[in-house]
Structures are given as C-alpha cells and as structure tokens.
Amino acid sequence: MTNVGFIVGSLRKGAYTRMLSRAIVEIAPPSLQLTEIRIGELPLYNQDLETDTPPPAWTTFRNQVKSSDAILFITPEYNRGMPGGVKNAIDVGSRPPKQSAWRGKPAAVISLTPGKLGAMGAHQQLRLTLSVLGVPVMPMPEVYLAEAGKLFDGDGKLVSEDTSKLLSSMLNDFDTWIGRFK
C-alpha cells in the first residue's frame, strides 16, 4: 500500500477541487491510500517564526508530508497562478533550509477550473515551483480539467464518465510513477 497525501488548493468548502478530491479517493486503485493534508490553517510563512518551536501547524504539516510516500496536488487557478494557500504550504514544507519535506517526494498535479483553460497557468506554475525543490513531478499525463461546473451534479458528485476514466488512468500511471522512487 502506497500512502499518498493530497493537497486541495482551494480552501472553500464547496470548491470544485474539494469535490474532485472526494471523487479521486473513490476512483483510486486499491494500491493507493489517499489522505488529505490540509493547508487552510497554516500560518503564513515567516522566517522569524522558524525557531526551535515553530508554529504547531507547520510541524504537523511537515510531518504529514514527510510520512507520505507521494503527494497529489489538486489545484484551481487564481489570476493565472496557483492559489496563495498552495504556495504558502510549499514554502512551509520547504523550510528550514536543508530539511525540506518535499525533496525527492514523487508528485502529480491535477488542475481544475470553471473556465475553458483547465487552470493551465496554475498547473505549470506549480510544476515549476516543485521542480526547484527537487520534487519529481509525473510528466504525463498532464490533467487540466475545464468547465468544472459540468463535471459534477448538484450534490458535488462527479458525473462525467470521460473525466472518471481519465482520472482512473492517471492514478494508475501515478502509482507506476511512485514505484520508480521506492
């Protein structure tokens, strides 16, 4: 069993990324155990707080990332970039220097938006940021999901069969990708 921590980029309770995360947990192959690593309560990264006793939320977050075999990011796009909460989480996890929780941790990115571009800007920005931290991000498939409102029913359940098939295939590929780093 591979422990995959996933990070939902939107903090909003009714976010499409949150809906998608619930669907992914159901779709994932039995070899992947998906667990959410929450980012909403992380204090903004401030090096002045990086003492012998950093904020408890930072320590909890870093330990959750470290204990995961891999990380899956499910992100929306805000103003053609990744949400501030995601960037803050990456910054918190990358500190203190030479103790990054991210280094060498295989990852994958799924981006989702109500618009037509599938959050491509956020997706690429996130990949770039992870690359400079030594995170091997699965190169293919790149999953950009557009027109999110059409993918879910009124209860937030994924109803797009094509999207379900795409995600199932992607998660199987991710399982293979993770295996390369074990």
Side-chain angles (χ1 to χ4, degrees):
M1 181 74 66
T2 301
N3 181 23
V4 176
F6 68 88
I7 293 175
V8 177
S10 177
L11 305 181
R12 190 171 59 88
K13 185 171 66 170
Y16 291 124
T17 50
R18 177 128 339 263
M19 293 176 198
L20 188 65
S21 74
R22 289 191 294 266
I24 286 173
V25 169
E26 292 176 14
I27 293 168
S31 56
L32 299 181
Q33 174 65 42
L34 277 78
T35 306
E36 184 174 3
I37 301 174
R38 296 189 177 271
I39 63 173
E41 299 303 318
L42 289 175
L44 290 176
Y45 186 77
N46 175 346
Q47 192 170 350
D48 291 342
L49 302 177
E50 197 67 77
T51 65
D52 290 339
T53 55
W58 288 4
T59 302
T60 298
F61 176 78
R62 290 167 175 164
N63 289 336
Q64 289 174 321
V65 171
K66 287 177 182 176
S67 68
S68 298
D69 297 315
I71 304 292
L72 174 63
F73 290 86
I74 306 165
T75 189
E77 181 172 278
Y78 297 166
N79 302 313
R80 294 284 190 259
M82 75 176 104
V86 173
K87 179 63 168 84
N88 184 57
I90 291 170
D91 292 344
V92 167
S94 71
R95 305 292 183 183
K98 299 187 181 181
Q99 295 181 36
S100 174
W102 304 113
R103 187 160 191 77
K105 192 83 51 183
V109 178
I110 298 171
S111 58
L112 174 70
T113 184
K116 300 253 187 217
L117 297 178
M120 194 168 111
H123 192 114
Q124 292 303 315
Q125 185 184 49
L126 181 51
R127 283 176 169 276
L128 176 63
T129 301
L130 293 171
S131 74
V132 300
L133 295 174
V135 175
V137 180
M138 185 172 73
M140 294 199 56
E142 291 181 296
V143 178
Y144 308 100
L145 301 174
E147 299 182 323
K150 297 178 181 179
L151 304 178
F152 302 94
D153 66 15
D155 294 323
K157 184 164 174 57
L158 181 65
V159 293
S160 168
E161 191 62 35
D162 288 342
T163 301
S164 182
K165 287 177 186 175
L166 172 67
L167 293 171
S168 179
S169 176
M170 179 263 177
L171 290 167
N172 283 310
D173 290 343
F174 189 37
D175 194 12
T176 301
W177 179 253
I178 295 165
R180 294 178 179 177
F181 299 91
K182 284 188 173 180

